[in-house]
Amino acid sequence: MTFPANTPDPIDPVKLDKLAEVAIQVGLQLQRGQDLVMTAPVAAMPLVRLITKHAYKAGAGLVTTLYSDEDTTLSRYAYAPDESFDRASDWLFKGMAEAFAGGAARLAISGDNPMMLSAQDPAKVARANKANSIAYKPALEKISNFDINWNIVSYPNPSWAKLVFPNDPEEVAVEKLANAIFAASRVDVADPVAAWKEHNANLARRSAWLNGERFAALHFTGPGTDLTVGLADGHLWCGGASEAKNGVTCNPNIPTEEVFTTPHALRVEGHVSSTKPLSHQGTLIDNIQVRFEGGRIVEAKASRGEEVLNKVLDTDEGARRLGEVALVPHSSPISASGILFYNTLFDENASCHIALGQCYSGCFVDDTKLTPEQIRAQGGNSSLIHIDWMIGSGQVDIDGVRADGSRVPVMRKGEWA
């Protein structure tokens, strides 16, 4: 990223350093001697360097970073032979899975242009995504099963910034996106670590209330939505900081405003409409409308990106079932910002949402004692994908439904009841 000479850096270096510190101390709580595997766009090098510094200051054993680059990604679509799109670097993902099995932590920096692949052949994009999902599954399972401490943070890549703020010069767009990231990530305050401690306590109280209620289902109603999401047997609500199976308490997502759990893959009925666009692998999917029967999506349409949506749903059997349901108040700071980030990490924290595909096995009581077969028997879904999309707004009500059919208000007009 280069800007004209004598132009002030649009990214506040003090806040960027605080973000790096929060990623290590709050996001990962990296342990002394623990290795770290990091992935990042090359544009995020300034943040990579700061995170690496804080990781080693915390006693990291070895920090290894794998980089991605938009231009080289697009070169594949421009010049690679057709058979390339059915291949993925399985050797690399096997190595990552081996590192996680050996105790390494995982940190991802997001920041690529969410619409990078929007002009590419959707069939090739879908094939490449499927091949990548299959190859990545051994590593993804270590993350989705919460075997390790992991974290995602974001960096204001210029191409992403221009998508969010298209009417501003690049340096202004980058500054605006950087400030929005810093605010959402709670690093624009004097003591971000203390701010996260307070925020985590609030999310823990919400989770504890929901866990005490033991609802059998949640009923969503609103414009274009009348959806009953059955909850998995023995489900557990989580939010904010949670303890991974390796004993480390971490905040997987920075930012986060959600409390979430595992739906029952066979007990979802009704119809639901998205309330924000979904940016998926370079395609914007807007005005999603789906209908569930017996937990499975039997009808799906969208005003934009419908072809890509249906290819996603055909990834495997579990892609048409839910792996997560999450509650976020409409007044969350990210929602209040009024910014559409085109990035699920942020946009999902502006709205209640559901996720297609793989469930989080950590969202079960006594999860460490459950086998994959037991998780499936209790309603946990299995898939190569996990894709969140937003269904909440200031017009959506949610009731908790108990096993006896009695109902408790959970949210009214998008706010906690």
Side-chain angles (χ1 to χ4, degrees):
M1 185 192 316
T2 58
F3 296 103
N6 302 319
T7 300
D9 189 340
I11 303 174
D12 186 321
V14 174
K15 292 176 183 175
L16 191 67
D17 188 68
K18 286 184 175 181
L19 180 60
E21 182 180 15
V22 163
I24 294 299
Q25 291 194 15
V26 177
L28 289 179
Q29 289 205 30
L30 194 71
Q31 304 295 291
R32 178 164 294 277
Q34 189 176 25
D35 289 350
L36 173 60
V37 177
M38 182 161 40
T39 57
V42 291
M45 184 73 76
L47 181 55
V48 170
R49 289 170 175 156
L50 291 170
I51 288 174
T52 302
K53 177 190 75 174
H54 283 286
Y56 282 125
K57 286 175 69 175
L62 180 65
V63 179
T64 302
T65 304
L66 306 170
Y67 292 95
S68 60
D69 174 65
E70 292 182 13
D71 287 346
T72 53
T73 297
L74 291 172
S75 289
R76 181 186 188 190
Y77 286 87
Y79 306 113
D82 183 73
E83 58 269 22
S84 167
F85 298 94
D86 296 311
R87 298 183 60 185
S89 300
D90 55 347
W91 55 271
L92 175 62
F93 297 130
K94 287 176 183 175
M96 292 176 71
E98 185 177 337
F100 300 151
R106 164 83 164 105
L107 194 147
I109 300 176
S110 71
D112 280 330
N113 179 1
M115 300 301 291
M116 174 174 54
L117 302 178
S118 60
Q120 307 307 315
D121 179 354
K124 287 184 176 179
V125 173
R127 287 164 57 198
N129 287 342
K130 184 172 183 177
N132 206 59
S133 295
I134 293 171
Y136 188 49
K137 190 168 187 180
L140 178 63
E141 285 178 340
K142 300 293 183 184
I143 296 168
S144 62
N145 291 340
F146 213 19
D147 289 349
I148 60 169
N149 45 325
W150 60 273
N151 175 243
I152 305 175
V153 293
S154 295
Y155 183 84
N157 189 338
S159 60
W160 177 24
K162 282 293 291 179
L163 178 67
V164 178
F165 301 105
N167 298 322
D168 291 311
E170 184 174 284
E171 64 271 19
V172 175
V174 168
E175 182 176 18
K176 284 184 175 181
L177 181 57
N179 289 336
I181 290 171
F182 295 148
S185 304
R186 288 178 161 77
V187 299
D188 61 346
V189 297
D191 189 346
V193 174
W196 272 98
K197 184 177 181 179
E198 180 182 358
H199 182 51
N200 281 329
N202 289 334
L203 293 174
R205 281 193 288 271
R206 296 292 184 191
S207 297
W209 178 76
L210 288 162
N211 285 326
E213 290 291 337
R214 304 308 310 160
F215 293 126
L218 296 177
H219 183 210
F220 294 76
T221 54
T225 292
D226 185 351
L227 182 73
T228 299
V229 178
L231 302 180
D233 300 334
H235 68 275
L236 183 71
W237 286 91
C238 302
S242 299
E243 184 178 333
K245 291 178 183 175
N246 63 0
V248 179
T249 298
C250 65
N251 270 83
N253 292 340
I254 290 180
T256 184
E257 302 290 336
E258 65 178 335
V259 292
F260 60 95
T261 195
T262 298
H264 197 293
L266 306 180
R267 300 176 187 165
V268 183
E269 303 286 343
H271 59 273
V272 62
S273 298
S274 64
T275 51
K276 289 180 180 291
L278 166 65
S279 178
H280 177 68
Q281 300 293 343
T283 298
L284 196 68
I285 307 174
D286 203 2
N287 296 315
I288 300 171
Q289 297 179 348
V290 303
R291 182 167 59 85
F292 287 87
E293 290 182 1
R296 186 174 186 273
I297 293 176
V298 294
E299 183 180 359
K301 56 185 179 179
S303 64
R304 179 178 180 182
E306 184 173 310
E307 180 182 0
V308 172
L309 173 63
N310 280 292
K311 287 184 181 298
V312 166
L313 295 175
D314 288 338
T315 301
D316 56 23
E317 169 58 26
R320 289 180 176 268
R321 301 181 185 275
L322 296 186
E324 178 189 353
V325 59
L327 304 182
V328 179
H330 182 61
S331 59
S332 81
I334 296 174
S335 177
S337 75
I339 298 172
L340 178 63
F341 286 87
Y342 298 93
N343 179 311
T344 301
L345 177 61
F346 288 82
D347 292 333
E348 73 171 4
N349 284 296
S351 168
C352 294
H353 54 274
I354 52 180
L356 304 172
Q358 180 65 40
C359 75
Y360 290 122
S361 65
C363 290
F364 286 90
V365 176
D366 294 329
D367 61 292
T368 58
K369 301 176 182 178
L370 298 178
T371 65
E373 292 73 23
Q374 288 172 316
I375 288 172
R376 281 195 292 273
Q378 291 181 208
N381 192 34
S382 177
S383 175
L384 294 170
I385 68 167
H386 180 93
I387 300 173
D388 300 91
W389 52 285
M390 287 57 75
I391 64 169
S393 75
Q395 297 178 285
V396 173
D397 294 338
I398 305 172
D399 283 341
V401 184
R402 296 194 176 107
D404 63 3
S406 61
R407 302 167 77 91
V408 176
V410 174
M411 283 189 163
R412 287 293 180 265
K413 297 188 182 302
E415 301 300 329
W416 289 104

